[in-house]
Amino acid sequence: MAEPLYFEKSFDVEGGSFQNAGNVSGQIKGILKDLGVSTDIVRRVAIICYESEINIVSYAKRGTITLTVTDEAVKIETKDEGPGIADIELAMKEGYSTASAAVREMGFGAGMGLANMKKYADHLIITSELGVGTYVRMMVMNFQKILHPDLPSITL
Amino acid sequence: MTLKDVKEILEAEVLVGSDQLEKPAKTAFAADLMSDVLAFAKPDSLLLTGLTNPQVVRTADILDITAIIMVRGKKPSEETIKLAEELKIPILSTRYILFETSGRLHARGVTGCIEKVGGET
Ligand SMILES: Nc1ncnc2c1ncn2[C@@H]1O[C@H](COP(=O)(O)OP(=O)(O)OP(=O)(O)O)[C@@H](O)[C@H]1O
Ligand SMILES: [Mg+2]
């Protein structure tokens, strides 16, 4: 019987500077590939992770991204110290953005990121406290479990 | 069509990835906004853009973009080139404007990676 898959790792993200923006998402993409996660899921996770990372870089002071992988799902959790989001429903709307000129200069700030994360994640939760920070939890279901039904379950 | 054909059609200079010119190029996406690229581009497409910062390379890597075509004669910074070499993402630079670049490739059979937004085909 195959060993159940379980992998977890946290990464620090520095806010305010685009110097390393995307580095963590690139690493996470590589880890998922190495774990043998299917291409489609790797791509979806890479996109939602990168959108989150760019948001931390764009709006927060600092943050962490935690990757958890099992046979059933890939989970991306981000937690940042920053201004928080006053109206999450409004922030989710395509086109709503408070991005600075510096962020726009890098090619971001169209107000599409959160909507894109919602599109590619099977599950998305955002909580935020003004002046404290923002927490985002996203899951992409991993159907390797269906291909190997004898694998034990690990609930995230 | 391959990247080599794209290079010829666009009279482009290959800045990164001269060893990858055999890669196939069937579809493309054009935008100067990385937010839109993330929302609409599809894997294994060309990315036509006027932006030259390292974030273009990062975005291309995340989306499994075949190659970046920088239009309007734009040349990337040393930093952008370094990252593209590290991530093995070809960069071509053409003097054609975005409209001409798109038109010339489309006329030769390269299609949009999606046709329009909303319906997702
Ligand atoms: N981590 C965060 N902390 C504080 N505010 C945030 C955070 N993430 C998003 N926001 C707020 O929500 C808005 C919408 O975010 P979203 O990612 O959808 O678009 P954007 O970042 O403005 O542009 P895009 O993602 O298309 O480049 C942001 O402009 C910002 O006001
Ligand atoms: Mg964003």
Side-chain angles (χ1 to χ4, degrees):
Chain A
M1 194 168 87
E3 281 290 300
L5 174 62
Y6 188 84
F7 181 93
E8 185 174 289
K9 190 169 177 175
S10 287
F11 302 82
D12 289 329
V13 178
E14 192 193 332
S17 160
F18 274 88
Q19 185 70 36
N20 293 311
N23 194 341
V24 167
S25 302
Q27 283 183 58
I28 285 178
K29 193 178 178 194
I31 289 170
L32 292 175
K33 271 194 207 161
D34 291 347
L35 288 173
V37 174
S38 71
T39 309
D40 171 61
I41 289 172
V42 173
R43 280 177 180 149
R44 286 167 59 197
V45 174
I47 291 172
I48 63 175
C49 189
Y50 186 61
E51 293 278 18
S52 308
E53 187 176 355
I54 297 291
N55 280 356
I56 296 172
V57 168
S58 301
Y59 308 110
K61 278 205 287 285
R62 69 182 69 84
T64 54
I65 297 181
T66 304
L67 165 73
T68 313
V69 191
T70 71
D71 293 289
E72 291 174 334
V74 180
K75 181 169 71 174
I76 296 285
E77 283 171 292
T78 75
K79 201 171 184 326
D80 70 52
E81 293 167 38
I85 303 175
D87 184 340
I88 293 172
E89 205 180 313
L90 178 64
M92 297 286 306
K93 283 218 171 92
E94 272 186 29
Y96 176 82
S97 179
T98 62
S100 66
V103 170
R104 287 173 200 276
E105 208 173 292
M106 298 310 287
F108 297 98
M112 308 278 288
L114 291 170
N116 209 25
M117 283 145 69
K118 189 173 177 191
K119 177 175 143 197
Y120 283 112
D122 293 311
H123 174 82
L124 167 80
I125 292 175
I126 304 175
T127 57
S128 190
E129 197 179 333
L130 279 183
V132 178
T134 301
Y135 169 80
V136 183
R137 177 185 196 263
M138 293 171 288
M139 304 261 273
V140 175
M141 302 323 279
N142 187 358
F143 293 109
Q144 262 146 283
K145 174 76 177 162
I146 291 167
L147 303 176
H148 305 285
D150 57 332
L151 288 169
S153 293
I154 295 171
T155 309
L156 289 176
Chain B
M1 172 156 342
T2 64
L3 273 187
K4 189 162 179 287
D5 301 315
V6 171
K7 169 191 185 297
E8 275 155 27
I9 292 165
L10 300 176
E11 298 153 40
E13 190 184 336
V14 181
L15 303 176
V16 177
S18 50
D19 54 335
Q20 295 186 57
L21 296 182
E22 300 311 320
K23 271 177 135 184
K26 289 199 187 90
T27 57
F29 187 79
D32 281 354
L33 202 51
M34 291 304 114
S35 310
D36 278 346
V37 175
L38 279 163
F40 303 121
K42 294 279 179 273
D44 306 318
S45 299
L46 300 170
L47 172 58
L48 320 184
T49 187
L51 273 197
T52 61
N53 67 57
Q55 234 46 60
V56 176
V57 178
R58 285 282 181 203
T59 304
D61 180 49
I62 291 297
L63 293 171
D64 293 324
I65 290 293
T66 303
I68 300 163
I69 316 288
M70 291 183 177
V71 301
R72 304 192 283 277
K74 301 267 172 164
K75 293 278 164 60
S77 65
E78 206 39 57
E79 213 189 334
T80 302
I81 301 246
K82 249 182 68 187
L83 188 63
E85 278 168 353
E86 190 187 314
L87 298 176
K88 298 190 169 55
I89 299 178
I91 299 182
L92 280 67
S93 174
T94 178
R95 287 166 56 222
Y96 287 111
I97 60 170
L98 181 55
F99 185 82
E100 280 296 326
T101 304
S102 305
R104 277 160 201 265
L105 291 179
H106 201 281
R108 299 288 292 270
V110 177
T111 53
C113 65
I114 57 169
E115 249 181 50
K116 50 181 164 181
V117 301
E120 281 296 287
T121 37

